Amino acid sequence: MDSMSSARLCTPLITSTAATASQASTRRLFSTSRFHLGRQRSPPPCRASLPMTTFCTAAADPGSAASRLLSVGLPWHAEFMPRLPSGNGRISRLSAVVLGEALAAEENDLIFPSPEFSRDALVSSPEQYRKMYKRSIEDPAGFWSEIAAQFYWKKRWSPDVYSENIDVRKGPVKIEWFKGGITNICYNALDRNIEAGNGDKVALYWEGNEPGQDGQLTYAQLLDQVCQLANYLKHVGVSKGDAVVIYLPMLMELPIAMLACARIGAVHSVVFAGFSAESLAQRFIDCKPKVVICSNAVSRGAKVINLKAIVDNALAESANNGIAVDLCLVYENQSTMKKEDTKWQDGRDILWQEVVPQFPTKCPVEWVDAEDPLFLLYTSGSTGKPKGVLHTTGGYMVYTATTFKYAFDYKPSDVYWCTADCGWITGHSYVTYGPLLNGATVLVFEGAPSYPDPGRCWDIVDKYKVTLFYTAPTLVRALMREGDEYVTRYSRKSLRVLGSVGEPINPSAWRWFYNVVGDSRCPISDTWWQTETGGFLITPIPGAWPQKPGSATFPFFGVQPVIVDEKGNELEGECSGYLCIKNSWPGIFRSLYGDHERYETTYFKPFAGYYFSGDGCRRDKDGYHWLTGRVDDVINVSGHRIGTAEIESALVSHPHCAESAVVGVDHPVKGQGIYAFVTLVDGVDYTDEVRKSLILAVRTQIGAFAAPDKIHWAPGLPKTRSGKIMRRILRKIASKQLDELGDISTLAEPSVVNQLIEFTDR
Ligand code: 6R9
């Protein structure tokens, strides 16, 4: 690999003088967010002025140190990846709007880690990253088996480290990592760390909804509790391969329940405790759990949510559909709701606190194959039915642990807080498994981040001396609107690395996070990944190279991203297109539960030979990746994925609704908002009352987080002559870009468009 030779490697961590011009200006150039999801218009060109002592930004003026760095050093990924034959696949709906538009001026802003940070980092220079990356691509078996060997295997994998076919033209898609290896992820997360002498280290801190409510468990105590629950589950007949649904809020019992399932080889399916009874029932019907584990209630801010009532309804609905779940283990969330106030069905409902503590604190491990299922997690796709993403044990274990370690530059003294709920993939990989596999101290927070006031997060950071803080852009934007005082009244000096996930982080939010929250000294790991990928695929390695606000930077070890055009041709150098990956990695999902065909069709057929992410991406001249959002009919609301088809099907189930079409629109806090066009059945008046009941229909069928922000009455929808709804036009109307409607002559009834515009504010 000539391009990797040392002569071409850039010098690490240049502290450029190019920032001096901006030093005198204010630290915060973007105090208010003008949010364009980073994919439409760009904010005005800017340079953040940062203290020279720690970080510097550098403009890539020709001839500058930064420019030399760029021209010789960074755009190497393109050269490094050998070409594959391109696929012939097409994807159905090209949302070209999000592709190819300038992401900015930001592309010339480089923010360097401080020399001290890099010196102490696990990967401290571009050279070191490149060396490791090169090895991971040229010899994946060697690279990953060396890492895997650091875990406990009852029996080593054999004969191959991995085998894969991701090319549908060559046969069924099949991916295996460490097959034949016998292990247990709970053993590796708990027992192994205790045996290494960390039994007394805090594994979990818990902070309740109300300030002052808290708790903690050491690794040894956590293992005891996991074993008690595991023994109880075995006692009631749960065994290897059985599904268990978990519908718990962010109590320590949530990771405990996940680990207890893993310990006995049961397959957990955590459902975010914000999903409605109908969504929960749908998941019961699909995976037929032996047991459901839930809590009676949760407090979120000032609100109390009766979770048990939701579970009761879901169980009834599921039983009506022929799937009866006979056992419901209920954790009494005492500070929120007493058992006496909870509706109880004797025989089926069992109180956790009454039974679980009676079981022994030792529970033998069920040793499983690396390719045995670990969990199912339902996620939205572009059709109405959620997909059960299936992850297996060994590869997921190795991958989540390794990505956590490098992307956050983990040190044993760290206190780590991820604000995601375990009901989403982020909570699986980066609240529970990744950090605990590293023996980290993890904070679990039950409450709402702006309760009792918008300073709560920083209060918690100071209380626990949090060093690694991982959150979503939506929270960053929401807190940014509240003003800096809520942040600056707390010290935050413990913080070392910040993280972002769930959606593209717009450069102004990035800068506020960096300058105000991180006091211009903490690198931000903007981690791009998905439920399907198990762990980070494109992410900064914070000590290794300069960052650009809003870019997820470069691939993680072992990952070969490519950007393809609509026909599946790989694009080289600076380009925009569809983001695909051309190899498997240990953490990739292995199937969709009960529907391997949909797995192949959705992810591997659009561009044969590749895994298709569903995201658009731009690669800039320096090889940095800029994610530009979904290119399919999935919208991303506050970092939560929702299929437009799911919302449409909830709307049309309302007796007054004849038809609906849902699109995403830019939203200043949530990233995207939900905008629904609705046609009512003949004879029903378009009233506010109907509007409210339509919104309620979505809340009850999916959950409050999927409620449309706007219902736009649509006596007619713009359709082609073949009856296809032209969403492109709806997106323009929704975002009020009326001068960009484009050609509407192909519509069956072009007059519909004017009618819709007239109805905008009705
Ligand atoms: C982890 C998670 C996946 C979708 C993904 C993409 C968006 C996630 C991102 C990001 C830009 C990032 N996404 N992280 N976009 N930058 N750092 O969120 O999983 O719920 O499955 O959503 O989220 O669009 O395709 P999931």
Side-chain angles (χ1 to χ4, degrees), residues 258-282:
M258 296 165 80
L259 290 161
C261 290
R263 190 164 192 89
I264 62 173
V267 181
H268 59 70
S269 183
V270 184
V271 179
F272 169 58
F275 273 106
S276 68
E278 292 192 29
S279 294
L280 183 57
Q282 198 176 25

Side-chain angles (χ1 to χ4, degrees), residues 425 502-504 526-531 615 627 630 636 641:
I425 190 68
E503 53 172 315
D526 174 6
T527 60
W528 175 79
W529 62 297
Q530 308 176 298
T531 304
D615 278 351
L627 277 301
R630 301 288 306 190
N636 193 322
R641 260 164 77 167

Side-chain angles (χ1 to χ4, degrees), residues 485-754:
E485 305 69 42
Y486 284 109
V487 186
T488 52
R489 71 166 72 137
Y490 296 98
S491 137
R492 292 158 286 111
K493 72 172 190 297
S494 54
L495 288 173
R496 231 166 48 75
V497 180
L498 304 173
S500 172
V501 60
E503 53 172 315
I505 178 162
N506 47 308
S508 52
W510 196 103
R511 287 179 183 286
W512 183 82
F513 199 24
Y514 181 78
N515 286 343
V516 180
V517 174
D519 276 333
S520 310
R521 52 176 184 82
C522 309
I524 298 178
S525 284
D526 174 6
T527 60
W528 175 79
W529 62 297
Q530 308 176 298
T531 304
E532 294 85 344
T533 70
F536 310 148
L537 292 195
I538 301 184
T539 177
I541 303 284
W545 56 67
Q547 299 184 324
K548 298 189 183 191
S551 167
T553 73
F554 296 114
F556 192 71
F557 305 127
V559 175
Q560 298 181 75
V562 290
I563 297 176
V564 301
D565 67 14
E566 219 177 325
K567 295 203 174 82
N569 300 309
E570 263 183 47
L571 303 173
E572 307 261 324
E574 202 179 342
C575 60
S576 294
Y578 301 101
L579 179 59
C580 292
I581 313 290
K582 67 183 195 188
N583 61 313
S584 80
W585 59 96
I588 188 176
F589 69 140
R590 304 301 198 257
S591 194
L592 289 178
Y593 181 64
D595 201 349
H596 200 70
E597 198 182 322
R598 189 176 176 195
Y599 174 72
E600 293 184 340
T601 311
T602 312
Y603 301 98
F604 299 95
K605 278 197 180 146
F607 301 106
Y610 304 97
Y611 165 76
F612 173 47
S613 67
D615 278 351
C617 183
R618 190 168 79 83
R619 190 167 49 216
D620 72 15
K621 62 183 187 304
D622 311 316
Y624 281 70
H625 293 80
W626 301 77
L627 277 301
T628 53
R630 301 288 306 190
V631 293
D632 53 10
D633 289 324
V634 171
I635 51 186
N636 193 322
V637 181
S638 300
H640 300 151
R641 260 164 77 167
I642 306 168
T644 52
E646 268 178 79
I647 305 168
E648 287 162 8
S649 95
L651 287 168
V652 295
S653 73
H654 187 289
H656 292 342
C657 179
E659 200 171 16
S660 85
V662 170
V663 296
V665 285
D666 281 1
H667 186 284
V669 174
K670 297 197 269 187
Q672 283 191 294
I674 301 174
Y675 197 109
F677 292 88
V678 173
T679 310
L680 296 181
V681 294
D682 277 352
V684 176
D685 289 338
Y686 289 85
T687 62
D688 274 350
E689 207 177 305
V690 178
R691 187 177 261 135
K692 278 188 203 137
S693 69
L694 285 164
I695 294 175
L696 187 65
V698 181
R699 295 174 78 98
T700 40
Q701 289 202 26
I702 305 176
F705 66 92
D709 296 283
K710 162 104 182 170
I711 303 262
H712 185 135
W713 296 132
L717 287 168
K719 291 185 185 164
T720 59
R721 284 182 201 99
S722 59
K724 194 172 156 232
I725 296 174
M726 299 273 282
R727 278 158 201 277
R728 175 178 61 78
I729 295 176
L730 293 176
R731 280 191 204 104
K732 294 292 177 193
I733 296 176
S735 52
K736 299 202 166 61
Q737 293 170 308
L738 301 181
D739 48 344
E740 293 172 29
L741 289 175
D743 182 11
I744 57 169
S745 63
T746 53
L747 291 178
E749 268 196 66
S751 63
V752 161
V753 172
N754 276 338

Side-chain angles (χ1 to χ4, degrees), residues 220-371:
Q221 291 165 333
L222 176 60
L223 177 60
D224 287 354
Q225 300 226 358
V226 165
C227 285
Q228 288 183 317
L229 180 60
N231 281 321
Y232 170 76
L233 291 173
K234 285 209 297 198
H235 171 76
V236 296
V238 177
S239 54
K240 186 178 168 204
D242 288 338
V244 172
V245 165
I246 302 173
Y247 189 74
L248 281 166
M250 287 296 276
L251 304 170
M252 289 194 278
E253 283 65 26
L254 178 42
I256 289 173
M258 296 165 80
L259 290 161
C261 290
R263 190 164 192 89
I264 62 173
V267 181
H268 59 70
S269 183
V270 184
V271 179
F272 169 58
F275 273 106
S276 68
E278 292 192 29
S279 294
L280 183 57
Q282 198 176 25
R283 285 148 176 79
F284 287 154
I285 293 164
D286 198 63
C287 77
K288 305 174 188 61
K290 269 236 163 111
V291 176
V292 51
I293 305 178
C294 69
S295 165
N296 58 343
V298 62
S299 301
R300 286 215 183 92
K303 261 197 321 214
V304 170
I305 300 158
N306 186 335
L307 296 175
K308 178 64 169 33
I310 296 172
V311 176
D312 287 346
N313 289 339
L315 287 168
E317 166 91 14
S318 165
N320 284 341
N321 282 275
I323 305 296
V325 185
D326 300 327
L327 204 128
C328 178
L329 182 68
V330 188
Y331 184 83
E332 181 188 17
N333 196 0
Q334 279 155 354
S335 60
T336 299
M337 187 186 278
K338 297 276 174 243
K339 192 212 160 198
E340 305 85 83
D341 303 322
T342 310
K343 232 175 121 199
W344 214 256
Q345 185 176 314
D346 287 332
R348 184 198 67 187
D349 300 343
I350 307 287
L351 183 65
W352 173 314
Q353 281 95 331
E354 217 165 77
V355 293
V356 174
Q358 298 183 16
F359 282 81
T361 54
K362 298 268 173 292
C363 173
V365 167
E366 179 78 37
W367 299 105
V368 301
D369 190 281
E371 283 301 335

